[in-house]
Amino acid sequence: AQTVTQSQPEMSVQEAETVTLSCTYDTSESDYYLFWYKQPPSRQMILVIRQEAYKQQNATENRFSVNFQKAAKSFSLKISDSQLGDAAMYFCAYRRRETSGSRLTFGEGTQLTVNP
Amino acid sequence: DTGVSQDPRHKITKRGQNVTFRCDPISEHNRLYWYRQTLGQGPEFLTYFQNEAQLEKSRLLSDRFSAERPKGSFSTLEIQRTEQGDSAMYLCASSFFRTQYNEQFFGPGTRLTVL
């Protein structure tokens, strides 16, 4: 079974600074997707960024980027120029390739606080 | 608003009662998923449908839980004889299988409190 671990229950960052959220996972599969989701307080979860395991290049989306280390099974999220609106719970998630199923497996989450 | 909607947003019930939640996916999305999220934890997969067919169920989905998706549109999740341990946020998501990433879009959730 696949597992996802986020070892940082809480993180804080100053506005305009950079923060990195950690995630490790365990799988015997070689082809899969990894995701970071953001869940603001009392609002629905939205996708921040995705990474395909067969791609060596790290994904980037504006101020968000990942450091994907496949051999180490590590998938961290870097948020640059942090904004107050980035404050939320962040979840790392794993999904097998489509032909093998569709379920997302989530980590425990990291609560990010952005200080003005 | 054309996103995933869920109803009700909050439900308080007494132990032993039955409850039913509804999820309306994004129009044209053929896959629909149910997850459960307890306080301070990440969502856990319960089940998913492709059109009206229920393709996978988690072991978390005990006999007291049943989900349906008649006609492949909206879905309902029913919990019979609720227990205090059923208190959680129930999240629905939908996706369009056959797109490159089959991205799941989440609804706002239904928060269940069992007294």
Side-chain angles (χ1 to χ4, degrees), chain A residues 22-37:
Chain A
S22 301
C23 172
T24 59
Y25 60 95
D26 188 26
T27 183
S28 58
E29 304 283 333
S30 60
D31 201 6
Y32 48 87
Y33 295 105
L34 295 165
F35 306 87
W36 279 98
Y37 280 87

Side-chain angles (χ1 to χ4, degrees), chain A residues 42-44, chain B residues 5-11 89-90 107-112:
Chain A
S42 301
R43 294 180 62 186
Q44 56 213 79
Chain B
S5 62
Q6 294 186 243
D7 183 69
R9 294 291 305 276
H10 302 273
K11 178 71 176 178
M89 177 78 84
Y90 290 84
T110 294
R111 182 167 294 284
L112 173 66

Side-chain angles (χ1 to χ4, degrees), chain A residues 20-93:
Chain A
T20 299
L21 308 184
S22 301
C23 172
T24 59
Y25 60 95
D26 188 26
T27 183
S28 58
E29 304 283 333
S30 60
D31 201 6
Y32 48 87
Y33 295 105
L34 295 165
F35 306 87
W36 279 98
Y37 280 87
K38 171 184 177 182
Q39 188 175 43
S42 301
R43 294 180 62 186
Q44 56 213 79
M45 192 156 356
I46 58 173
L47 178 65
V48 174
I49 197 166
R50 75 171 72 82
Q51 174 77 42
E52 295 165 80
Y54 68 87
K55 288 187 176 178
Q56 292 186 334
Q57 186 173 7
N58 289 322
T60 62
E61 286 287 343
N62 301 315
R63 299 183 294 107
F64 299 87
S65 61
V66 299
N67 184 3
F68 173 49
Q69 302 290 327
K70 191 173 184 179
K73 296 181 180 174
S74 169
F75 182 60
S76 61
L77 174 70
K78 185 171 80 172
I79 306 174
S80 303
D81 186 25
S82 297
Q83 301 175 359
L84 295 177
D86 295 334
M89 182 73 88
Y90 286 82
F91 292 100
C92 178

Side-chain angles (χ1 to χ4, degrees), chain A residues 33 35 37 39 42 44-45 47 50 52 54-55 89 91 95 98 101-104 106-109, chain B residues 4 9 31 33 35 37 40-43 45 48 56-58 91 97 100-104 106-108:
Chain A
Y33 295 105
F35 306 87
Y37 280 87
Q39 188 175 43
S42 301
Q44 56 213 79
M45 192 156 356
L47 178 65
R50 75 171 72 82
E52 295 165 80
Y54 68 87
K55 288 187 176 178
M89 182 73 88
F91 292 100
R95 199 189 82 212
E98 194 48 50
S102 222
R103 66 164 70 184
L104 287 164
F106 288 88
E108 306 91 334
Chain B
V4 178
R9 294 291 305 276
R31 284 198 172 176
Y33 312 79
Y35 293 86
Q37 184 178 19
Q41 298 296 315
F45 172 80
Y48 88 93
E56 187 178 359
K57 293 194 293 186
S58 162
L91 298 172
F97 183 52
Q100 183 176 4
Y101 298 112
N102 188 24
E103 179 181 340
Q104 295 181 28
F106 283 82

